[in-house]
């Protein structure tokens, strides 16, 4: 944790190390790895420099705190919405007598911040892809098993003409489920804009309830069908649901892969 100074003196055959009080420590061969306090020093032979090289080591944490205290960060966002959405202009400034030093410090701080922002976005997409990869194989296996069960059932019941009527019911169920999912999205968005007593919100809920009742009516019709048709509908739905889920995961994986590959910073430095 300490900060300290020392110096290195190159000679023709070796280099010398002196402490901060200019007291000689030891001589070392060029290109050797030399331990000194909490540092490892390796000096290639460099014949152009003959005078002592003064070096100051500052603990990184202390250095960070020193620069942090110099840098001022101020939001120039003019509206509350901009502040809540982390949007708008941010002014980063540093008061110093050395403009070259000040610009270098601010530029480096901005570079670190932007790179970290990109890394965080990339890591977020990478984790999403990893999660999908860990589940997609098992979903694919479910799809295969569901298809095999349906295929086996149809082979064992070739003499039964159930497919036309059953297919119509399956299409109705799929259409209702699709509409319910779409309404769920609208209802979720409406929650942020309206109260539960608002006519628009209540209308969305009513539409969803009507669809649920229709789906329950179809389920009741299915129970009156011959057992073979009920089995066929169940097996077909299993294939449809698992296949849709697999395709959705594949689509999401592709989307996240594109986002990961094309991640860029959303910050511009003026």
């Amino acid at each position: 944790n300490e900060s300290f100074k020392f110096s290195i003196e190159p000679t023709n055959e070796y280099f010398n190390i002196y402490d901060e009080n200019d007291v000689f420590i030891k001589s070392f061969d060029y290109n050797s790895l030399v331990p000194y306090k909490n540092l490892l020093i390796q000096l290639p032979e460099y014949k152009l420099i003959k005078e002592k090289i003064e070096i100051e080591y500052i603990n990184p944490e202390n250095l960070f705190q020193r620069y942090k205290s110099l840098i001022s960060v101020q939001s120039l966002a003019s509206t509350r919405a901009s502040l809540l959405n982390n949007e708008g202009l941010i002014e980063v400034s540093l008061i110093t007598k050395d403009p070259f030093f000040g610009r270098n410090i601010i530029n480096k701080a901005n570079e670190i911040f932007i790179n970290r922002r990109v890394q965080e976005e990339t890591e977020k997409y990478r984790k999403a892809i990893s999660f999908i990869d860990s589940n997609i194989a098992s979903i694919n296996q479910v799809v295969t098993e569901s298809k095999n069960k349906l295929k086996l059932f149809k082979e064992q019941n070739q003499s039964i003409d159930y497919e036309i009527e059953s297919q119509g019911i399956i299409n109705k169920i799929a259409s209702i489920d699709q509409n319910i999912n779409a309404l769920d999205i609208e209802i979720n968005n409406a929650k942020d804009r309206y109260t539960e007593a608002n006519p628009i919100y209540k209308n969305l809920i009513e539409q969803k309830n009507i669809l649920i009742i229709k789906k329950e009516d179809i389920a009741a019709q299915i129970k009156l069908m011959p057992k073979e048709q009920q089995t066929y509908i169940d097996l077909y739905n299993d294939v449809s649901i698992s296949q849709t889920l697999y395709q959705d995961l594949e689509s999401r994986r592709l989307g996240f892969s594109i986002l990961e590959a094309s991640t860029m910073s959303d910050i511009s430095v003026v």
Side-chain angles (χ1 to χ4, degrees):
N1 293 323
E2 64 177 325
S3 299
F4 55 86
K5 297 180 180 180
F6 65 99
S7 57
I8 293 175
E9 181 184 40
T11 68
N12 289 333
E13 299 178 359
Y14 47 79
F15 65 93
N16 304 320
I17 292 184
Y18 298 82
D19 68 10
E20 58 186 12
N21 297 316
D22 207 28
V23 176
F24 174 74
I25 303 297
K26 195 175 178 179
S27 297
F28 298 95
D29 293 330
Y30 287 105
N31 294 311
S32 60
L33 203 59
V34 179
Y36 180 69
K37 295 195 175 184
N38 58 337
L39 302 179
L40 287 174
I41 302 171
Q42 187 176 39
L43 190 69
E45 188 173 358
Y46 197 66
K47 297 181 180 179
L48 295 178
I49 297 178
K50 296 299 181 183
E51 68 274 11
K52 282 184 180 180
I53 305 167
E54 293 185 354
I55 298 171
E56 179 181 8
Y57 170 81
I58 302 175
N59 175 266
E61 182 66 26
N62 296 337
L63 190 66
F64 159 72
Q65 293 296 341
R66 179 193 297 183
Y67 291 154
K68 181 182 177 183
S69 64
L70 296 176
I71 296 175
S72 171
V73 181
Q74 181 179 3
S75 173
L76 301 182
S78 58
T79 64
R80 176 176 171 81
S82 298
L83 290 171
L84 292 175
N85 295 325
N86 294 322
E87 296 175 351
L89 293 176
I90 296 175
E91 183 182 79
V92 184
S93 58
L94 185 149
I95 297 178
T96 175
K97 295 180 180 179
D98 186 346
F100 177 78
F101 165 81
R103 278 195 295 269
N104 282 340
I105 293 299
I106 286 181
N107 287 339
K108 190 63 180 179
N110 287 339
E111 178 188 334
I112 292 171
F113 177 69
I114 292 172
N115 288 341
R116 184 175 298 171
R117 183 71 166 254
V118 172
Q119 289 171 3
E120 288 174 354
E121 288 295 305
T122 302
E123 184 63 23
K124 179 175 69 175
Y125 298 133
R126 189 175 293 124
K127 286 181 178 179
I129 292 170
S130 176
F131 175 78
I132 290 174
D133 286 343
S134 65
N135 288 274
I136 201 166
S138 59
I139 296 297
N140 190 34
Q141 184 178 352
V142 171
V143 172
T144 303
E145 291 176 355
S146 299
K147 286 182 176 179
N148 289 337
K149 288 179 181 178
L150 180 60
K151 180 182 178 182
L152 180 61
F153 175 81
K154 292 171 73 173
E155 289 174 352
Q156 293 174 346
N157 297 270
Q158 292 181 6
S159 60
I160 304 174
D161 185 16
Y162 51 78
E163 196 158 346
I164 295 177
E165 184 181 358
S166 301
Q167 191 64 50
I169 291 176
I170 289 168
N171 292 337
K172 285 181 182 179
I173 294 174
S175 176
I176 290 173
D177 284 336
Q178 186 177 2
N179 290 331
I180 288 176
N181 290 336
L183 279 171
D184 281 336
I185 295 173
E186 288 191 55
I187 290 169
N188 189 56
N189 292 333
K191 284 181 180 178
D192 298 330
R193 292 178 291 170
Y194 311 112
T195 64
E196 293 184 2
N198 188 283
I200 296 176
Y201 182 83
K202 291 171 71 174
N203 183 50
L204 291 171
I205 295 295
E206 186 178 348
Q207 290 181 49
K208 181 180 177 180
N209 290 335
I210 291 172
L211 290 174
I212 291 173
I213 292 172
K214 287 183 178 180
K215 188 175 179 180
E216 291 173 350
D217 289 341
I218 294 174
Q221 293 176 30
I222 293 173
K223 290 181 179 180
L224 299 176
M225 289 180 168
K227 185 177 179 181
E228 290 80 5
Q229 282 184 309
Q230 293 185 43
T231 305
Y232 173 79
I233 291 172
D234 289 340
L235 291 174
Y236 191 95
N237 280 335
D238 288 343
V239 172
S240 179
I241 292 169
S242 58
Q243 197 160 12
T244 300
L245 180 57
Y246 179 81
Q247 291 170 348
D248 182 56
L249 287 176
E250 280 281 21
S251 177
R252 287 175 182 271
R253 190 191 189 289
L254 177 61
F256 284 128
S257 297
I258 293 171
L259 287 170
E260 180 190 7
S262 61
T263 298
M264 297 177 63
S265 174
D266 57 350
I267 300 166
S268 296
V269 176
V270 181

